[in-house]
Amino acid sequence: HEPILIDSGPTGLDADGVLDALRQASPDLAGFAVNYVNIRDTLNLVTRVRRDLPDTPLVAGSHYATFHADALL
């Protein structure tokens, strides 16, 4: 496995750009940092990733994911 980081903040990628990068990477696992500021955008992106990469396991982390795990599941 070779980890890669796709950080939309400093790269300026929108959701389409992140999704394209994930498609190209064809990851074994995709992780998302979820917080109060990005929750809606992240959930929308995760929905698209789940649709486009259905066999890729998804994980969520950070404060929001920790304290609201049941709601995210």
Side-chain angles (χ1 to χ4, degrees):
H1 304 282
E2 183 177 328
I4 63 166
L5 175 65
I6 303 169
D7 190 338
S8 64
T11 60
L13 290 175
D14 61 6
D16 290 332
V18 172
L19 191 54
D20 287 344
L22 284 170
R23 281 191 205 112
Q24 289 178 4
S26 188
D28 296 321
L29 174 79
F32 299 86
V34 184
N35 59 53
Y36 291 100
V37 174
N38 73 359
I39 183 66
R40 286 189 179 144
D41 291 337
T42 302
L43 290 179
N44 287 334
L45 178 59
V46 165
T47 299
R48 294 176 65 188
V49 171
R50 192 175 291 271
R51 180 192 67 218
D52 289 7
L53 300 169
D55 296 327
T56 302
L58 307 178
V59 296
S62 199
H63 290 95
Y64 191 94
T66 299
F67 293 107
H68 301 282
D70 290 337
L72 288 174
L73 295 172

